[in-house]
Amino acid sequence: MPNLKVKPDGSHGRVTHVTPESAGWTYVGFDLHRLTSGETVSAETGDREVCLVWVSGKGSAKAGAKDFGLLGGRMSPFEGAPHALYIPAGSSWSVTAETDLELAVCSAPGGGSYEARAIPPGTHPPVTRGKGTNVRHVNNIMPEDDGAAHSLLVVEVITPGGHTSSYPPHKHDQDNLPNESFLEETYYHRLNPPQGFAFQRVYTDDRSLDEAMALEDGDVTLVPKGYHPCAACHGYDLYYLNVMAGPKRVWKFYNAPEHEWLLKA
């Protein structure tokens, strides 16, 4: 199995490149581009659907024959909800940076007759989950109930310093609906201030997979299976962008039984 922590390769251009082949799985792909003003990145979607997320900065976007104009606005992922753009399989896209731009390219197998569409901030209302030091703040970008994609699920989460997230530990590695769905997942992590660090553990019940990682700004975690809780250290807020996909576009997770009492505490 590949190393579950993927560090950025440099600070400019395509700095992260996760494919199903490199991850040793079937569905999820994730790229991260860091561009300066005037630079353009483009690609064909092929047999995959794509969600572009403006992590920070502004850029003009085209998808297929449609010009979506200038998207983006926040200059940090810690400043409100993002702009995003969905592009179906069998299309193409291009983005030209108008400022320094951090652009995430989330992908999964495509299908159906979906059309390219912008997903502006406020499309889905923000959600706060958890209690006490398990509070975190969620911006849904492509949730399962929007019905507007074949397999992609995309969400971002802000976890305040000193808090836990994806916690109590849960997993989604069994194709056993309605009890649990099978979804591969990536976490793209950012820290505020950026010199901070956080922790994530990925583990299975039998501990055949049990990896604990110290995460720095820009790291990506691969979650092929198992539980995957995060902890943000005091003084450093943690942002992560999740990409999930599997055989069915359903997010149904299973809580670790020994920790489920926390939900009632």
Side-chain angles (χ1 to χ4, degrees):
M1 180 177 295
N3 190 331
L4 298 186
K5 183 168 70 174
V6 180
K7 298 196 73 65
D9 181 13
S11 59
H12 180 255
R14 188 179 69 185
V15 299
T16 302
H17 184 47
V18 175
T19 68
E21 293 76 19
S22 69
W25 58 29
T26 304
Y27 299 97
V28 171
F30 180 80
D31 285 356
L32 196 285
H33 297 267
R34 291 177 179 161
L35 307 177
T36 57
S37 179
E39 292 184 316
T40 297
V41 60
S42 62
E44 304 284 333
T45 59
D47 61 357
R48 297 175 68 77
E49 61 186 6
V50 166
C51 177
L52 304 178
V53 179
W54 275 248
V55 178
S56 64
K58 301 178 183 180
S60 299
K62 296 180 180 179
K66 190 170 183 180
D67 187 342
F68 286 89
L70 185 64
L71 299 177
R74 68 181 187 185
M75 301 310 291
S76 162
F78 297 91
E79 297 175 354
H83 282 80
L85 178 63
Y86 171 79
I87 306 106
S91 186
S92 60
W93 60 268
S94 67
V95 174
T96 299
E98 300 287 336
T99 66
D100 286 350
L101 174 63
E102 189 169 26
L103 183 74
V105 184
C106 316
S107 70
S113 54
Y114 302 101
E115 295 185 358
R117 62 188 176 95
I119 307 171
T123 300
H124 305 286
V127 177
T128 296
R129 294 185 186 143
K131 297 178 181 180
T133 55
N134 199 41
V135 164
R136 61 271 199 210
H137 308 288
V138 180
N139 288 317
N140 280 305
I141 299 170
M142 292 183 63
E144 65 176 295
D145 60 3
D146 68 2
H150 179 69
S151 58
L152 262 178
L153 296 163
V154 183
V155 61
E156 62 178 24
V157 178
I158 302 286
T159 306
H163 287 216
T164 51
S165 192
S166 296
Y167 189 83
H170 71 260
K171 71 182 184 74
H172 36 73
D173 59 12
Q174 300 294 318
D175 189 5
N176 183 33
L177 289 170
N179 300 310
E180 184 178 353
S181 57
F182 176 86
L183 295 168
E184 302 162 352
E185 186 169 19
T186 55
Y187 279 67
Y188 171 57
H189 293 281
R190 296 290 307 279
L191 277 300
N192 184 34
Q195 72 270 25
F197 60 92
F199 294 98
Q200 187 163 25
R201 183 185 181 195
V202 181
Y203 68 100
T204 55
D205 285 313
D206 64 4
R207 306 300 193 266
S208 60
L209 175 60
D210 191 356
E211 197 165 322
M213 292 160 277
L215 300 163
E216 297 180 304
D217 192 55
D219 288 349
V220 170
T221 304
L222 309 180
V223 183
K225 60 181 178 179
Y227 308 99
H228 39 277
C230 299
C233 293
H234 173 72
Y236 295 93
D237 293 342
L238 172 67
Y239 162 97
Y240 55 77
L241 174 64
N242 287 143
V243 185
M244 294 182 282
K248 300 180 182 67
R249 193 172 182 260
V250 177
W251 183 53
K252 183 68 174 180
F253 59 85
Y254 172 84
N255 290 310
E258 69 271 29
H259 300 301
E260 201 163 25
W261 68 271
L262 291 163
L263 296 172
K264 303 172 184 178

